[in-house]
Amino acid sequence: MSRHLIDDVAVGWDELGTDLLDGTPPTLVAALTGGEHWPSRTLDNLITPDGSPPVRMTVTDETANEQDMQWGYILREEGIEVISLLHEDVGPVVDWATDPRTAFSDHPAAWSSLHPAPVIWALRSTPPQSVPAAPPAKADTSRPARRR
């Protein structure tokens, strides 16, 4: 995932396509995309105010506030940490084994580091072949405390 999303792109993404699902069981791809296929598109033809070549945006504790970001995502070994930057500096981790058809709340306040990821509904039927079902993700309390 990190290779596709971070390492293999020069600046950033305009749109993530179904190529992100390469190697996924066809039944799951069909369930997620309705059977459609399209390629990911990188941010191309960018023009900077001073005419310099565009560069990848770097987010640090010092620059996050000035970049007006509302959400942050950290790819961790155990899953993806989802951070509602409007409310906290850390968030719950959604396990990589979580069925991607699981629906989560998009309300920023629901993504508290003190609670599991806010699942609205999880698929109750048998998951497609090779996709393990996972219990709701729990917040990882071993991460650093909030910034002040």
Side-chain angles (χ1 to χ4, degrees):
M1 179 69 75
S2 64
R3 185 175 319 121
H4 183 87
L5 294 176
I6 300 166
D7 300 341
D8 291 347
V9 64
V11 177
W13 294 102
D14 184 35
E15 178 181 12
L16 292 173
T18 58
D19 51 328
L20 184 63
L21 302 171
D22 287 353
T24 303
T27 54
L28 181 57
V29 174
L32 294 172
T33 69
E36 294 186 38
H37 296 275
W38 64 93
S40 293
R41 293 183 300 143
T42 58
L43 287 170
D44 295 326
N45 303 317
L46 295 175
I47 300 171
T48 61
D50 65 0
S52 63
V55 294
R56 185 185 304 217
M57 181 176 70
T58 301
V59 180
T60 66
D61 285 346
E62 292 76 31
T63 64
N65 288 336
E66 64 194 43
Q67 292 181 10
D68 194 31
M69 297 177 60
Q70 296 180 6
W71 293 92
Y73 306 93
I74 300 175
L75 306 180
R76 300 194 176 280
E77 188 174 317
E78 66 274 15
I80 185 168
E81 181 179 356
V82 180
I83 305 167
S84 168
L85 296 173
L86 299 174
H87 296 279
E88 297 191 45
D89 294 330
V90 296
V93 175
V94 177
D95 190 289
W96 290 119
T98 301
D99 189 306
R101 295 168 290 183
T102 301
F104 293 94
S105 170
D106 63 354
H107 193 282
W111 289 88
S112 169
S113 63
L114 302 175
H115 304 289
V119 173
I120 294 173
W121 60 264
L123 193 66
R124 301 270 185 238
S125 63
T126 305
Q129 180 183 6
S130 302
V131 179
K138 291 194 167 100
D140 180 358
T141 58
S142 66
R143 291 186 304 278
R146 292 175 158 187
R147 290 179 293 173
R148 296 192 191 259

